[in-house]
Amino acid sequence: MPPPEKIIGVIGKTNVGKSTLFAALTLATVEIANHPFTTIEPNVGIGYVRKKCVHVELGLEKCNPRTGYCVKGYRFIPIKIMDVAGLIPGASQGKGLGNKFMDDLRQADALIHVVDASGSTDLDGNPVKPGTSDPVEEAINIQKEVDEWFYSVIKRIWESKISRHIITARNPIEYITQNLSGLSINKNHVVEAIRRAGLTDKNPRSWSNEDIRVFSIELRRVSKPIIIAANKADLHTAEENIKRLKEVFGEENVIPVSALAEYILRKAAKNNYIEYLPGDNDFVIKDESKLTSDQMKALKIIREKVLEKYGSTGVQQLISHVVFRVLNLITVYPVEDHHKYTDHYGNILPDAYLVPRGTKARDLAYMIHTDLGKTFLYAVNAKTGERLGENYELKDNDVIKIVAAAH
Ligand SMILES: Nc1nc2c(ncn2[C@@H]2O[C@H](COP(=O)(O)OP(=O)(O)OP(=O)(O)O)[C@@H](O)[C@H]2O)c(=O)[nH]1
Ligand SMILES: [Mg+2]
C-alpha cells in the first residue's frame, strides 16, 4: 500500500477565502489525463507540492509521473487538501456546523488557518471596511476555538473510556494512543505531548482534569500543527497586519498569500492565456488578443500588488512549507530498474512518494507492496548502485529499488 496519505485541512472563520484557497490549490495548471477528478468529495481534493524533480539531477530529459505532473523540471506531487467548513465562535459548544467541523478536523494532519489579513471581515464574517477588523484577534480566537474543541473531544473519550480501563491497561501510553487513533494521532504524538506538558513522570492513571487539559492542548499542537495563511495580501491594508501576525505567531508560522490572485493565474494558465507555473514570481502573456481589457487589468494588478511585492502569490510556498517543514515529509522515488530508473513498463520515475523523515528501506518496501515488505532482501540506491539494508534511513530525493525473495 502506498504511503499513508496525509491530509491538510483548511480552516478559518467565514468569508476569509478558504474556498478560494482550496480551489486554487486543487486547480492543476495542466491536463492530467490519469487523474480527471481533482475533487474526491465536495470538500476534499488533490493539491500539489512543487519540488525540483530528481530527473534533472539524473541528467534525464523527462519523467513519466503516474500521479501528479512534471513541468520544466518541477515535479508537482499530489497531497490531499480538505476545506473544513463551519468554524464559528462557539463551534466547540456545538454551535453552527460544529459537528461536521469536528468530523472533518479529526482526519487532518496539519491545518492551514486562513486569516483575512486585510481586516475586511468582522469576527462573524460580515464584510467591513478594509483595515477595521483585527486579524491578530481573529487568529487568536479561532485557534482558541480549535483547542477548546480538541480538549472537549479528548475529555469525552477520557471520561467515557480511558479513565475506567487505564487502571488495568498494561501500557498506559499504548492504551491512550489506541483510543485516540480516530483523531489521526500516533504514539509519537502522545509521547511528545506528554513531554511538552511536563507529565512524563506522572502516571496517566492519576492525571487531574487540569493535566488532561494541558495534555490535550499540547497534543493538538503536536498532531495538528497550524500555519497561518495571511490571505488577501493583495489589499493594501494587509501589510501592517501581516507584520503584526508574524510578531505574535512567529515569522515561520505566517505566510502572506493572495488566494484569489493564485486562482486567477492558474485559471488563465489552464486556459492557455498565460504561461505560469504555481510558485513562480511572474507570468508571461501568451496572446493578448484573447484577453479582455478587464482581464488585462486584473493581471496587471496581480503583478504589481502581489508578485512584485511578495515574490509570489504565496500559495505554493504555503503548501510546500506545510508538507516539507511542518509535516517533515521527504520525497523518495521507487523504481524497478535501477539503471534506467523505470518501472517494468519503462515509465521513468513513475512515482514520487511523500514519506515521513525517518522512513526505512523496508518500510518503503511495505508501502510499495505488502509482499515486497515481507520478503525484502535488500534495497539499491539507484544513484550510486550501492546496496542498502532494511534499516537504511531514506534520504530526500533517494531513488530506490527494492530486491525481494519472491514477488
Ligand atoms: N482581495 C481578495 N479577496 C479574496 C481573496 N481570497 C478570497 N477573496 C474573496 O473573499 C470572499 C470570500 O471568499 P471564500 O473563498 O468564499 O471564503 P470562505 O472562507 O470559503 O467563506 P465561507 O465558506 O462562507 O466560510 C470572496 O468574495 C472572495 O473573492 C484574496 O486573496 N484577495
Ligand atoms: Mg467556503
Side-chain angles (χ1 to χ4, degrees):
M1 60 195 79
E5 276 188 338
K6 300 283 182 191
I7 304 186
I8 299 169
V10 178
I11 61 166
K13 72 170 195 197
T14 308
N15 250 328
V16 289
K18 297 182 297 296
S19 298
T20 309
L21 179 68
F22 176 80
L25 281 170
T26 55
L27 183 68
T29 46
V30 298
E31 286 304 330
I32 305 181
N34 48 4
H35 260 262
F37 305 109
T38 48
T39 307
I40 300 160
E41 287 165 43
N43 67 329
V44 183
I46 303 288
Y48 301 90
V49 283
R50 166 178 167 158
K51 188 142 197 253
K52 257 223 145 66
C53 184
V54 82
H55 89 247
V56 179
E57 182 191 331
L58 295 172
L60 303 171
E61 234 154 62
K62 57 162 199 154
C63 61
N64 312 105
R66 218 149 51 97
T67 56
Y69 56 102
C70 195
V71 183
K72 292 189 172 159
Y74 289 104
R75 186 102 173 197
F76 288 82
I77 308 166
I79 181 94
K80 263 191 185 171
I81 315 277
M82 186 182 342
D83 180 358
V84 182
L87 181 55
I88 56 163
S92 62
Q93 274 93 52
K95 256 178 142 182
L97 290 171
N99 289 331
K100 166 76 176 139
F101 167 74
M102 292 176 197
D103 252 12
D104 284 349
L105 204 65
R106 67 174 77 226
Q107 304 171 47
D109 297 292
L111 300 169
I112 292 173
H113 177 186
V114 186
V115 171
D116 181 345
S118 73
S120 52
T121 37
D122 70 14
L123 272 182
D124 293 318
N126 303 312
V128 294
K129 191 165 158 276
T132 56
S133 176
D134 182 5
V136 171
E137 193 191 343
E138 169 191 335
I140 291 171
N141 271 324
I142 291 289
Q143 298 197 6
K144 245 192 224 149
E145 196 63 48
V146 174
D147 283 347
E148 276 309 315
W149 164 78
F150 204 75
Y151 169 57
S152 74
V153 172
I154 303 270
K155 191 163 150 246
R156 206 178 324 127
I157 298 172
W158 206 282
E159 284 172 355
S160 68
K161 184 128 191 255
I162 298 179
S163 64
R164 267 185 286 142
H165 297 287
I166 201 161
I167 313 281
T168 51
R170 266 205 299 167
N171 183 334
I173 289 180
E174 293 277 1
Y175 186 72
I176 293 169
T177 307
Q178 243 175 41
N179 280 282
L180 301 182
S181 60
L183 292 163
S184 200
I185 282 166
N186 62 37
K187 195 173 157 189
N188 292 343
H189 293 145
V190 173
V191 171
E192 178 62 14
I194 289 175
R195 193 187 66 76
R196 291 195 196 179
L199 290 165
T200 311
D201 297 326
K202 192 165 178 185
N203 194 315
R205 289 174 187 134
S206 53
W207 283 3
S208 67
N209 280 341
E210 187 50 28
D211 292 336
I212 296 169
R213 186 187 173 86
V214 176
F215 165 70
S216 71
I217 288 173
E218 292 303 336
L219 189 60
R220 201 283 296 154
R221 292 190 181 144
V222 173
S223 67
K224 301 180 192 303
I226 298 179
I227 290 296
I228 292 179
N231 195 31
K232 310 196 185 181
D234 49 289
L235 300 177
H236 75 277
T237 47
E239 198 168 347
E240 185 56 31
N241 285 328
I242 290 169
K243 239 188 259 159
R244 291 175 52 239
L245 281 164
K246 285 185 170 178
E247 275 164 23
V248 175
F249 290 90
E251 181 88 26
E252 70 287 358
N253 296 319
V254 178
I255 300 186
V257 301
S258 175
L260 189 57
E262 178 72 8
Y263 183 76
I264 291 170
L265 291 178
R266 288 199 191 191
K267 197 94 185 160
K270 180 136 195 169
N271 288 333
N272 262 319
Y273 299 157
I274 63 170
E275 224 181 276
Y276 170 72
L277 265 192
D280 279 356
N281 60 5
D282 202 3
F283 56 86
V284 178
I285 292 172
K286 281 184 159 171
D287 183 357
E288 242 176 77
S289 67
K290 279 193 189 150
L291 294 164
T292 65
S293 64
D294 277 354
Q295 286 171 323
M296 285 295 292
K297 212 158 83 193
L299 289 174
K300 187 164 169 270
I301 292 174
I302 289 171
R303 180 172 275 149
E304 282 168 11
K305 303 248 167 229
V306 182
L307 300 177
E308 282 173 5
K309 191 161 170 190
Y310 294 99
S312 76
T313 70
V315 169
Q316 200 60 43
Q317 283 69 13
L318 171 71
I319 198 76
S320 289
H321 181 80
V322 173
V323 168
F324 297 124
R325 301 281 296 279
V326 177
L327 290 173
N328 205 10
L329 303 180
I330 59 168
T331 314
V332 294
Y333 297 80
V335 293
E336 274 192 54
D337 183 326
H338 62 280
H339 300 293
K340 294 185 182 147
Y341 315 112
T342 58
D343 62 12
H344 66 266
Y345 302 109
N347 295 312
I348 302 165
L349 300 165
D351 294 307
Y353 283 3
L354 295 172
V355 304
R357 196 177 289 282
T359 298
K360 308 251 166 81
R362 191 161 195 162
D363 303 329
L364 177 68
Y366 270 107
M367 288 172 191
I368 299 167
H369 199 289
T370 312
D371 290 344
L372 216 49
K374 278 187 191 151
T375 60
F376 177 97
L377 293 175
Y378 60 93
V380 180
N381 178 340
K383 289 181 186 172
T384 60
E386 184 191 357
R387 266 196 193 203
L388 310 165
E390 61 178 347
N391 286 323
Y392 168 78
E393 192 178 311
L394 299 169
K395 290 199 296 293
D396 192 31
N397 280 335
D398 268 353
V399 182
I400 301 285
K401 175 191 168 63
I402 305 289
V403 178
H407 181 39

